Protein backbone atom coordinates (compact mmCIF):
# COMPACT_ATOMS: atom_id res chain seq x y z
CA UNK A 1 0.00 0.00 0.00
CA UNK A 2 1.50 3.43 -0.93
CA UNK A 3 2.42 5.60 2.04
CA UNK A 4 -0.06 8.39 2.85
CA UNK A 5 1.19 11.76 1.50
CA UNK A 6 1.53 14.23 4.36
CA UNK A 7 -0.85 17.19 4.05
CA UNK A 8 0.21 20.73 3.18
CA UNK A 9 -1.06 23.87 4.91
CA UNK A 10 -2.50 26.90 3.12
CA UNK A 11 -2.53 29.89 5.43
CA UNK A 12 -5.18 32.40 4.28
CA UNK A 13 -4.71 36.01 5.35
CA UNK A 14 -5.79 39.01 3.30
CA UNK A 15 -6.21 36.73 0.28
CA UNK A 16 -9.68 35.29 0.80
CA UNK A 17 -10.21 33.81 -2.66
CA UNK A 18 -9.69 30.64 -4.67
CA UNK A 19 -9.04 32.13 -8.12
CA UNK A 20 -5.71 33.76 -8.88
CA UNK A 21 -4.44 32.43 -5.58
CA UNK A 22 -0.90 31.28 -6.35
CA UNK A 23 -0.33 29.78 -2.90
CA UNK A 24 -3.50 27.68 -3.06
CA UNK A 25 -2.85 26.58 -6.64
CA UNK A 26 0.70 25.52 -5.81
CA UNK A 27 -0.48 23.63 -2.73
CA UNK A 28 -3.15 21.80 -4.73
CA UNK A 29 -0.64 20.93 -7.45
CA UNK A 30 1.51 19.00 -4.97
CA UNK A 31 -1.29 16.42 -4.98
CA UNK A 32 -1.23 16.37 -1.18
CA UNK A 33 -4.29 16.83 1.01
CA UNK A 34 -4.77 20.52 1.86
CA UNK A 35 -5.38 21.99 5.31
CA UNK A 36 -6.65 25.53 4.76
CA UNK A 37 -6.70 27.76 7.81
CA UNK A 38 -7.19 31.31 8.98
CA UNK A 39 -5.54 32.63 12.15
CA UNK A 40 -7.05 35.43 14.22
CA UNK A 41 -3.83 37.10 15.29
CA UNK A 42 -5.11 40.17 17.11
CA UNK A 43 -3.01 43.27 17.47
CA UNK A 44 0.10 41.17 18.05
CA UNK A 45 -0.19 39.84 14.49
CA UNK A 46 2.21 40.90 11.78
CA UNK A 47 -0.22 43.01 9.79
CA UNK A 48 -2.53 45.84 10.73
CA UNK A 49 -5.44 44.39 12.77
CA UNK A 50 -8.89 44.46 11.23
CA UNK A 51 -11.02 47.38 12.47
CA UNK A 52 -14.65 46.94 13.63
CA UNK A 53 -16.17 47.61 10.20
CA UNK A 54 -13.80 45.15 8.58
CA UNK A 55 -14.59 42.58 11.25
CA UNK A 56 -18.12 42.51 9.81
CA UNK A 57 -16.71 42.02 6.33
CA UNK A 58 -14.22 39.41 7.49
CA UNK A 59 -16.95 37.30 9.07
CA UNK A 60 -18.93 37.14 5.85
CA UNK A 61 -15.91 36.75 3.65
CA UNK A 62 -14.63 33.81 5.70
CA UNK A 63 -18.07 32.18 5.51
CA UNK A 64 -18.00 32.56 1.73
CA UNK A 65 -14.47 31.18 1.52
CA UNK A 66 -15.32 28.19 3.70
CA UNK A 67 -18.31 27.40 1.49
CA UNK A 68 -16.23 27.71 -1.68
CA UNK A 69 -13.62 25.34 -0.21
CA UNK A 70 -16.35 22.88 0.86
CA UNK A 71 -17.78 22.91 -2.64
CA UNK A 72 -14.44 21.66 -3.93
CA UNK A 73 -13.85 19.06 -1.28
CA UNK A 74 -11.84 21.15 1.18
CA UNK A 75 -12.50 22.94 4.45
CA UNK A 76 -11.39 26.04 6.34
CA UNK A 77 -10.15 25.85 9.93
CA UNK A 78 -10.06 28.73 12.40
CA UNK A 79 -7.51 29.42 15.11
CA UNK A 80 -6.63 32.27 17.44
CA UNK A 81 -3.11 33.06 18.59
CA UNK A 82 0.38 33.94 17.58
CA UNK A 83 0.83 32.69 14.02
CA UNK A 84 4.06 30.70 14.44
CA UNK A 85 2.75 28.96 17.56
CA UNK A 86 -0.53 28.02 15.88
CA UNK A 87 1.22 26.79 12.76
CA UNK A 88 3.68 24.63 14.69
CA UNK A 89 0.79 23.11 16.63
CA UNK A 90 -1.13 22.31 13.46
CA UNK A 91 1.99 20.80 11.95
CA UNK A 92 2.49 18.62 15.01
CA UNK A 93 -1.13 17.49 14.98
CA UNK A 94 -1.25 16.70 11.27
CA UNK A 95 2.23 15.72 10.15
CA UNK A 96 2.30 18.53 7.56
CA UNK A 97 5.69 20.03 6.85
CA UNK A 98 4.97 22.62 4.17
CA UNK A 99 3.13 25.92 4.50
CA UNK A 100 1.87 27.89 1.50
CA UNK A 101 1.00 31.57 1.75
CA UNK A 102 0.64 34.68 -0.39
CA UNK A 103 2.92 37.53 0.50
CA UNK A 104 1.16 40.40 2.21
CA UNK A 105 3.90 42.84 1.53
CA UNK A 106 3.58 45.04 4.56
CA UNK A 107 4.47 42.07 6.71
CA UNK A 108 7.30 40.62 4.63
CA UNK A 109 9.78 41.17 7.49
CA UNK A 110 7.61 39.30 9.97
CA UNK A 111 7.03 36.56 7.41
CA UNK A 112 10.76 36.13 6.88
CA UNK A 113 11.28 35.88 10.63
CA UNK A 114 8.42 33.41 10.87
CA UNK A 115 9.89 31.32 8.04
CA UNK A 116 13.22 31.20 9.89
CA UNK A 117 11.53 30.03 13.08
CA UNK A 118 9.51 27.41 11.27
CA UNK A 119 12.51 26.21 9.30
CA UNK A 120 14.31 25.42 12.52
CA UNK A 121 11.32 23.24 13.39
CA UNK A 122 11.67 21.45 10.03
CA UNK A 123 8.79 23.28 8.34
CA UNK A 124 9.18 24.90 4.90
CA UNK A 125 7.31 28.10 4.03
CA UNK A 126 6.49 28.83 0.36
CA UNK A 127 5.53 32.48 -0.29
CA UNK A 128 3.86 33.67 -3.51
CA UNK A 129 3.16 36.95 -5.27
CA UNK A 130 -0.30 38.24 -6.19
CA UNK A 131 -1.55 40.94 -3.83
CA UNK A 132 -0.08 43.73 -5.97
CA UNK A 133 0.24 44.24 -9.71
CA UNK A 134 3.99 43.68 -9.57
CA UNK A 135 6.43 42.58 -6.93
CA UNK A 136 7.46 45.91 -5.35
CA UNK A 137 11.10 44.92 -5.34
CA UNK A 138 10.96 44.93 -9.17
CA UNK A 139 9.69 48.51 -9.46
CA UNK A 140 12.84 50.48 -8.84
CA UNK A 141 14.62 53.66 -9.92
CA UNK A 142 17.69 53.43 -12.14
CA UNK A 143 19.75 53.48 -8.93
CA UNK A 144 17.81 50.46 -7.63
CA UNK A 145 15.95 52.47 -4.99
CA UNK A 146 12.18 52.58 -4.32
CA UNK A 147 10.30 55.44 -5.94
CA UNK A 148 9.00 58.31 -3.86
CA UNK A 149 7.11 60.06 -6.63
CA UNK A 150 4.13 58.43 -8.31
CA UNK A 151 4.56 59.42 -11.98
CA UNK A 152 7.98 57.79 -12.50
CA UNK A 153 6.75 54.82 -10.43
CA UNK A 154 3.83 54.43 -12.84
CA UNK A 155 6.14 54.63 -15.86
CA UNK A 156 8.46 52.00 -14.38
CA UNK A 157 5.53 49.77 -13.51
CA UNK A 158 4.18 49.95 -17.05
CA UNK A 159 7.64 49.19 -18.40
CA UNK A 160 7.50 45.84 -16.60
CA UNK A 161 4.63 44.87 -18.89
CA UNK A 162 1.25 43.46 -17.96
CA UNK A 163 0.85 41.72 -14.63
CA UNK A 164 0.76 37.96 -15.07
CA UNK A 165 -2.44 36.35 -16.34
CA UNK A 166 -4.74 35.44 -13.45
CA UNK A 167 -4.84 31.78 -12.42
CA UNK A 168 -8.07 29.80 -12.50
CA UNK A 169 -9.50 28.50 -9.23
CA UNK A 170 -8.64 24.85 -8.59
CA UNK A 171 -11.50 22.55 -9.64
CA UNK A 172 -11.05 20.23 -6.70
CA UNK A 173 -9.21 20.35 -3.42
CA UNK A 174 -8.14 17.19 -1.73
CA UNK A 175 -9.25 17.43 1.90
CA UNK A 176 -7.77 15.61 4.88
CA UNK A 177 -9.52 12.70 6.56
CA UNK A 178 -9.08 14.07 10.06
CA UNK A 179 -8.39 17.67 10.98
CA UNK A 180 -7.23 19.28 14.21
CA UNK A 181 -10.09 20.82 16.22
CA UNK A 182 -11.07 24.19 14.77
CA UNK A 183 -12.60 27.13 16.57
CA UNK A 184 -16.07 28.17 15.44
CA UNK A 185 -16.11 31.31 13.31
CA UNK A 186 -19.61 32.03 14.59
CA UNK A 187 -18.20 32.29 18.12
CA UNK A 188 -15.57 34.87 17.26
CA UNK A 189 -18.07 37.70 17.78
CA UNK A 190 -17.00 39.58 14.67
CA UNK A 191 -20.50 40.89 14.00
CA UNK A 192 -21.74 43.94 15.88
CA UNK A 193 -24.87 43.23 17.91
CA UNK A 194 -25.96 45.99 20.28
CA UNK A 195 -26.35 48.20 18.42
CA UNK A 196 -26.00 46.51 15.07
CA UNK A 197 -24.58 49.55 13.30
CA UNK A 198 -23.66 47.39 10.31
CA UNK A 199 -27.29 46.45 9.64
CA UNK A 200 -27.39 48.32 6.33
CA UNK A 201 -24.10 46.94 5.00
CA UNK A 202 -25.65 43.72 3.73
CA UNK A 203 -27.99 45.63 1.38
CA UNK A 204 -25.03 47.26 -0.31
CA UNK A 205 -22.18 44.78 -0.15
CA UNK A 206 -21.64 41.10 -0.84
CA UNK A 207 -18.38 40.12 0.84
CA UNK A 208 -16.57 37.20 -0.74
CA UNK A 209 -15.05 36.24 -4.03
CA UNK A 210 -18.33 35.80 -5.89
CA UNK A 211 -19.45 39.28 -4.81
CA UNK A 212 -16.13 40.69 -5.99
CA UNK A 213 -16.52 39.03 -9.38
CA UNK A 214 -20.00 40.47 -9.87
CA UNK A 215 -18.80 43.92 -8.84
CA UNK A 216 -15.88 43.79 -11.28
CA UNK A 217 -18.01 42.57 -14.19
CA UNK A 218 -20.62 45.21 -13.49
CA UNK A 219 -18.00 47.94 -13.40
CA UNK A 220 -16.39 46.84 -16.67
CA UNK A 221 -19.80 46.79 -18.34
CA UNK A 222 -21.32 49.93 -16.84
CA UNK A 223 -18.69 52.18 -15.25
CA UNK A 224 -15.44 51.88 -17.12
CA UNK A 225 -16.57 53.69 -20.28
CA UNK A 226 -17.00 56.91 -18.28
CA UNK A 227 -14.42 56.32 -15.60
CA UNK A 228 -11.99 59.08 -16.51
CA UNK A 229 -14.53 61.87 -16.77
CA UNK A 230 -16.95 60.63 -14.14
CA UNK A 231 -14.85 59.26 -11.31
CA UNK A 232 -14.74 62.60 -9.50
CA UNK A 233 -18.51 63.04 -9.31
CA UNK A 234 -19.80 61.12 -6.30
CA UNK A 235 -23.49 61.23 -7.22
CA UNK A 236 -22.74 59.27 -10.40
CA UNK A 237 -21.45 56.17 -8.64
CA UNK A 238 -19.37 54.98 -11.54
CA UNK A 239 -16.20 53.91 -9.77
CA UNK A 240 -15.69 50.19 -9.26
CA UNK A 241 -16.23 50.00 -5.47
CA UNK A 242 -13.80 47.13 -5.58
CA UNK A 243 -11.76 48.50 -2.68
CA UNK A 244 -13.21 46.35 0.17
CA UNK A 245 -12.80 43.28 -2.04
CA UNK A 246 -9.21 44.23 -2.84
CA UNK A 247 -8.48 44.97 0.80
CA UNK A 248 -9.52 41.42 1.73
CA UNK A 249 -7.89 39.85 -1.28
CA UNK A 250 -11.15 38.53 -2.74
CA UNK A 251 -10.00 39.80 -6.10
CA UNK A 252 -6.47 40.57 -7.21
CA UNK A 253 -5.38 43.78 -8.89
CA UNK A 254 -4.16 41.60 -11.77
CA UNK A 255 -7.70 40.26 -12.24
CA UNK A 256 -9.02 43.83 -12.27
CA UNK A 257 -6.27 44.92 -14.69
CA UNK A 258 -6.99 42.12 -17.14
CA UNK A 259 -10.77 42.37 -16.83
CA UNK A 260 -10.47 45.96 -18.03
CA UNK A 261 -8.96 44.70 -21.29
CA UNK A 262 -12.28 43.01 -22.02
CA UNK A 263 -13.80 46.41 -22.51
CA UNK A 264 -13.34 48.24 -25.77
CA UNK A 265 -15.27 51.32 -26.78
CA UNK A 266 -12.38 52.68 -28.78
CA UNK A 267 -11.11 54.78 -25.89
CA UNK A 268 -8.10 53.12 -24.28
CA UNK A 269 -7.76 56.20 -22.06
CA UNK A 270 -10.49 54.89 -19.74
CA UNK A 271 -8.70 51.59 -19.24
CA UNK A 272 -5.38 53.30 -18.65
CA UNK A 273 -6.87 55.67 -16.13
CA UNK A 274 -8.41 52.84 -14.14
CA UNK A 275 -5.16 50.88 -14.20
CA UNK A 276 -3.31 53.97 -13.06
CA UNK A 277 -5.50 54.08 -9.97
CA UNK A 278 -4.75 50.43 -9.29
CA UNK A 279 -1.08 51.38 -9.55
CA UNK A 280 -1.55 54.00 -6.81
CA UNK A 281 -2.25 51.10 -4.50
CA UNK A 282 1.04 49.45 -5.52
CA UNK A 283 2.82 52.77 -5.02
CA UNK A 284 1.38 53.19 -1.53
CA UNK A 285 2.52 49.68 -0.62
CA UNK A 286 5.97 50.47 -1.83
CA UNK A 287 5.97 53.54 0.49
CA UNK A 288 4.73 51.43 3.39
CA UNK A 289 7.43 48.84 2.83
CA UNK A 290 10.08 51.54 2.83
CA UNK A 291 8.55 53.29 5.85
CA UNK A 292 6.55 50.83 8.00
CA UNK A 293 5.52 53.58 10.44
CA UNK A 294 3.50 55.29 7.71
CA UNK A 295 0.30 55.26 9.82
CA UNK A 296 1.93 56.86 12.85
CA UNK A 297 4.92 58.99 11.84
CA UNK A 298 5.20 61.89 9.42
CA UNK A 299 7.10 60.84 6.34
CA UNK A 300 8.33 64.41 6.13
CA UNK A 301 9.71 65.14 9.58
CA UNK A 302 9.27 68.90 9.03
CA UNK A 303 5.71 68.19 10.18
CA UNK A 304 6.83 66.82 13.55
CA UNK A 305 6.67 70.30 15.01
CA UNK A 306 3.29 71.20 13.51
CA UNK A 307 1.01 72.82 16.10
CA UNK A 308 -2.08 70.61 15.78
CA UNK A 309 -4.95 71.53 18.04
CA UNK A 310 -7.50 69.03 19.27
CA UNK A 311 -11.04 70.05 20.16
CA UNK A 312 -13.24 67.07 21.08
CA UNK A 313 -16.49 68.79 20.11
CA UNK A 314 -15.20 69.71 16.65
CA UNK A 315 -13.80 66.23 16.17
CA UNK A 316 -17.16 64.65 17.09
CA UNK A 317 -19.00 67.03 14.76
CA UNK A 318 -16.72 65.88 11.94
CA UNK A 319 -17.18 62.19 12.74
CA UNK A 320 -20.95 62.54 12.99
CA UNK A 321 -21.38 64.59 9.83
CA UNK A 322 -22.58 67.70 11.65
CA UNK A 323 -20.06 70.32 10.56
CA UNK A 324 -22.56 72.60 8.83
CA UNK A 325 -20.77 72.07 5.49
CA UNK A 326 -23.13 69.82 3.52
CA UNK A 327 -20.52 68.11 1.33
CA UNK A 328 -18.37 67.24 4.35
CA UNK A 329 -21.38 65.98 6.28
CA UNK A 330 -22.61 63.91 3.35
CA UNK A 331 -19.21 62.21 3.04
CA UNK A 332 -18.95 61.42 6.74
CA UNK A 333 -22.48 60.03 6.79
CA UNK A 334 -21.83 57.91 3.73
CA UNK A 335 -18.86 56.47 5.59
CA UNK A 336 -20.96 55.59 8.63
CA UNK A 337 -23.91 54.26 6.67
CA UNK A 338 -22.04 52.29 4.00
CA UNK A 339 -18.57 51.66 5.44
CA UNK A 340 -17.32 53.39 2.32
CA UNK A 341 -16.73 56.89 1.04
CA UNK A 342 -16.17 58.13 -2.49
CA UNK A 343 -12.55 59.15 -3.18
CA UNK A 344 -13.38 62.82 -3.83
CA UNK A 345 -15.15 62.95 -0.47
CA UNK A 346 -12.23 61.30 1.30
CA UNK A 347 -10.06 64.14 0.06
CA UNK A 348 -12.57 66.82 1.05
CA UNK A 349 -13.34 65.43 4.52
CA UNK A 350 -9.67 64.76 5.27
CA UNK A 351 -8.70 68.26 4.19
CA UNK A 352 -11.45 69.66 6.41
CA UNK A 353 -10.29 67.75 9.48
CA UNK A 354 -6.63 68.56 8.99
CA UNK A 355 -6.78 72.11 7.72
CA UNK A 356 -10.10 73.66 8.76
CA UNK A 357 -10.12 72.01 12.18
CA UNK A 358 -6.31 71.66 12.49
CA UNK A 359 -6.71 68.19 13.97
CA UNK A 360 -3.77 65.84 13.56
CA UNK A 361 -4.14 63.63 10.45
CA UNK A 362 -3.55 60.56 12.65
CA UNK A 363 -6.97 61.05 14.29
CA UNK A 364 -8.56 60.92 10.87
CA UNK A 365 -6.53 57.92 9.77
CA UNK A 366 -7.67 56.11 12.90
CA UNK A 367 -11.37 56.90 12.37
CA UNK A 368 -11.23 55.80 8.75
CA UNK A 369 -9.42 52.61 9.77
CA UNK A 370 -12.22 51.78 12.18
CA UNK A 371 -15.12 52.62 9.91
CA UNK A 372 -13.99 51.81 6.36
CA UNK A 373 -14.72 48.37 4.99
CA UNK A 374 -11.78 48.89 2.65
CA UNK A 375 -9.37 50.11 5.35
CA UNK A 376 -5.99 49.31 3.93
CA UNK A 377 -2.71 49.75 5.81
CA UNK A 378 -0.97 51.32 2.83
CA UNK A 379 -3.74 53.25 1.09
CA UNK A 380 -5.22 54.76 4.21
CA UNK A 381 -1.99 55.89 5.82
CA UNK A 382 -0.41 57.14 2.58
CA UNK A 383 -3.57 58.99 1.55
CA UNK A 384 -3.93 60.77 4.89
CA UNK A 385 -0.32 61.85 4.68
CA UNK A 386 -0.92 62.89 1.08
CA UNK A 387 -3.73 65.23 2.11
CA UNK A 388 -1.80 66.50 5.14
CA UNK A 389 1.18 67.37 2.98
CA UNK A 390 3.46 65.30 5.21
CA UNK A 391 3.64 62.35 2.81
CA UNK A 392 6.15 61.29 0.17
CA UNK A 393 4.58 62.56 -3.05
CA UNK A 394 2.04 64.69 -1.19
CA UNK A 395 -0.35 67.46 -2.05
CA UNK A 396 1.18 70.63 -0.57
CA UNK A 397 -0.26 71.70 2.78
CA UNK A 398 -1.23 75.11 1.43
CA UNK A 399 -3.62 73.48 -1.04
CA UNK A 400 -6.68 73.84 1.17
CA UNK A 401 -10.03 72.74 -0.19
CA UNK A 402 -12.90 75.17 0.15
CA UNK A 403 -15.70 72.73 1.08
CA UNK A 404 -18.43 74.88 -0.44
CA UNK A 405 -16.69 75.26 -3.80
CA UNK A 406 -15.70 71.59 -3.84
CA UNK A 407 -19.35 70.70 -3.29
CA UNK A 408 -20.50 72.99 -6.09
CA UNK A 409 -17.88 71.69 -8.48
CA UNK A 410 -18.21 67.96 -7.88
CA UNK A 411 -21.84 67.71 -6.80
CA UNK A 412 -23.29 70.52 -8.92
CA UNK A 413 -26.92 69.51 -8.53
CA UNK A 414 -26.56 68.57 -4.87
CA UNK A 415 -27.84 65.03 -5.45
CA UNK A 416 -25.07 63.45 -3.41
CA UNK A 417 -25.76 65.78 -0.48
CA UNK A 418 -29.49 65.13 -0.65
CA UNK A 419 -28.85 61.37 -0.57
CA UNK A 420 -26.96 61.48 2.73
CA UNK A 421 -28.19 64.66 4.44
CA UNK A 422 -31.96 64.29 4.21
CA UNK A 423 -32.65 67.36 6.34
CA UNK A 424 -31.43 69.43 3.37
CA UNK A 425 -33.31 67.52 0.69
CA UNK A 426 -35.77 70.33 -0.10
CA UNK A 427 -33.09 72.93 -0.57
CA UNK A 428 -32.54 73.92 -4.19
CA UNK A 429 -29.36 73.83 -6.21
CA UNK A 430 -28.38 77.42 -5.43
CA UNK A 431 -28.10 76.90 -1.67
CA UNK A 432 -27.62 73.17 -1.25
CA UNK A 433 -23.89 73.66 -0.59
CA UNK A 434 -24.29 76.91 1.32
CA UNK A 435 -27.41 76.73 3.52
CA UNK A 436 -25.75 79.22 5.87
CA UNK A 437 -26.15 81.89 3.16
CA UNK A 438 -29.76 81.09 2.29
CA UNK A 439 -32.37 83.75 3.11
CA UNK A 440 -34.79 82.87 5.89
CA UNK A 441 -37.77 82.39 3.59
CA UNK A 442 -35.84 79.84 1.49
CA UNK A 443 -34.78 77.93 4.59
CA UNK A 444 -38.31 78.09 5.93
CA UNK A 445 -39.75 76.77 2.68
CA UNK A 446 -37.23 73.90 2.75
CA UNK A 447 -38.17 73.06 6.33
CA UNK A 448 -34.75 73.92 7.71
CA UNK A 449 -34.10 75.67 11.02
CA UNK A 450 -30.38 76.46 10.95
CA UNK A 451 -28.74 75.64 14.25
CA UNK A 452 -31.60 73.24 15.05
CA UNK A 453 -32.48 70.84 12.25
CA UNK A 454 -29.10 71.37 10.59
CA UNK A 455 -26.00 72.97 12.16
CA UNK A 456 -24.46 76.29 11.32
CA UNK A 457 -20.81 75.90 10.14
CA UNK A 458 -18.65 74.87 13.09
CA UNK A 459 -15.80 77.02 11.74
CA UNK A 460 -15.75 79.81 9.20
CA UNK A 461 -13.72 78.45 6.30
CA UNK A 462 -11.89 81.68 5.42
CA UNK A 463 -10.73 82.23 9.00
CA UNK A 464 -9.83 78.57 9.46
CA UNK A 465 -7.79 78.68 6.28
CA UNK A 466 -5.76 81.66 7.46
CA UNK A 467 -5.15 79.96 10.80
CA UNK A 468 -3.92 76.79 9.10
CA UNK A 469 -1.60 78.67 6.76
CA UNK A 470 -0.13 80.62 9.69
CA UNK A 471 0.52 77.38 11.59
CA UNK A 472 2.16 75.90 8.51
CA UNK A 473 4.36 78.94 8.07
CA UNK A 474 5.39 78.80 11.72
CA UNK A 475 6.37 75.14 11.34
CA UNK A 476 8.51 75.79 8.29
P1 LIG B 1 -11.83 52.99 -8.14
O1 LIG B 1 -11.77 54.40 -8.58
O2 LIG B 1 -12.77 52.10 -8.84
O3 LIG B 1 -10.36 52.43 -8.23
C1 LIG B 1 -10.07 51.02 -8.30
C2 LIG B 1 -9.07 50.65 -7.21
O4 LIG B 1 -7.86 51.40 -7.40
C3 LIG B 1 -9.54 50.99 -5.81
O5 LIG B 1 -10.38 49.98 -5.29
C4 LIG B 1 -8.21 51.11 -5.07
O6 LIG B 1 -7.67 49.85 -4.74
C5 LIG B 1 -7.32 51.75 -6.12
N1 LIG B 1 -7.39 53.20 -5.95
C6 LIG B 1 -8.26 54.08 -6.49
N2 LIG B 1 -7.98 55.34 -6.12
C7 LIG B 1 -6.91 55.25 -5.31
C8 LIG B 1 -6.14 56.20 -4.58
N3 LIG B 1 -6.41 57.51 -4.64
N4 LIG B 1 -5.12 55.77 -3.83
C9 LIG B 1 -4.81 54.45 -3.77
N5 LIG B 1 -5.50 53.50 -4.43
C10 LIG B 1 -6.54 53.89 -5.19
N6 LIG B 1 -8.30 53.26 -0.44
C11 LIG B 1 -8.36 52.04 0.11
O7 LIG B 1 -8.41 51.04 -0.61
N7 LIG B 1 -8.34 51.88 1.47
C12 LIG B 1 -8.26 52.95 2.32
O8 LIG B 1 -8.21 52.75 3.54
C13 LIG B 1 -8.23 54.25 1.76
N8 LIG B 1 -8.20 55.35 2.55
C14 LIG B 1 -8.16 56.59 1.98
C15 LIG B 1 -8.10 57.72 2.81
C16 LIG B 1 -8.05 58.99 2.26
C17 LIG B 1 -7.95 60.20 3.17
C18 LIG B 1 -8.08 59.16 0.85
C19 LIG B 1 -8.01 60.53 0.25
C20 LIG B 1 -8.12 58.04 0.03
C21 LIG B 1 -8.16 56.76 0.57
N9 LIG B 1 -8.22 55.61 -0.26
C22 LIG B 1 -8.25 54.37 0.33
C23 LIG B 1 -8.08 55.71 -1.73
C24 LIG B 1 -9.40 55.78 -2.52
O9 LIG B 1 -10.24 56.76 -1.98
C25 LIG B 1 -10.14 54.45 -2.58
O10 LIG B 1 -9.26 53.44 -2.98
C26 LIG B 1 -11.30 54.50 -3.57
O11 LIG B 1 -12.19 55.53 -3.22
C27 LIG B 1 -12.02 53.18 -3.56
O12 LIG B 1 -13.17 53.23 -4.37
P2 LIG B 1 -13.25 52.36 -5.69
O13 LIG B 1 -12.89 50.95 -5.39
O14 LIG B 1 -14.58 52.61 -6.28
O15 LIG B 1 -12.11 53.00 -6.56
Amino acid sequence: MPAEIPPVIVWFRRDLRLADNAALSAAVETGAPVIALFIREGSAGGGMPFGPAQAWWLHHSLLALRQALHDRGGDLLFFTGEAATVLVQVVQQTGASQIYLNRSYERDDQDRELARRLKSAGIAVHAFHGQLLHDPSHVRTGAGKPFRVFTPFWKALQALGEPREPLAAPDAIRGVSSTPPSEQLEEWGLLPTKPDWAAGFGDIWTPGEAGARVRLEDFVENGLSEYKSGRDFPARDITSRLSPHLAHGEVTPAQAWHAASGFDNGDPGQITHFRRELAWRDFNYSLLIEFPRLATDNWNTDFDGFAWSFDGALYRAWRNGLTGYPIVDAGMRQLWREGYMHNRLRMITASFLIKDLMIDWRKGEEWFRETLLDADPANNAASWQWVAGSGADASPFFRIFNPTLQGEKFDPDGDYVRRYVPELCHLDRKYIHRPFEAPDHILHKAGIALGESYPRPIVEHGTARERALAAYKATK
Side-chain angles (χ1 to χ4, degrees), residues 219 227 231 238-244 246-247 274 277-281 284 340-344 346-347 350 368 372 374-377 379-381 383-384 386-387:
F219 168 69
Y227 184 75
R231 66 179 287 273
I238 60 151
T239 66
S240 71
R241 286 187 176 233
L242 275 178
S243 49
L246 282 163
F274 175 62
E277 294 307 320
L278 290 171
W280 265 103
R281 182 171 169 274
N284 288 339
Y340 174 87
M341 196 197 290
H342 186 278
N343 180 60
R344 172 57 47 184
R346 297 188 203 209
M347 293 195 282
F368 271 30
L372 275 173
D374 66 26
D376 177 283
N379 270 0
N380 199 34
S383 303
W384 274 94
W386 184 86
V387 178

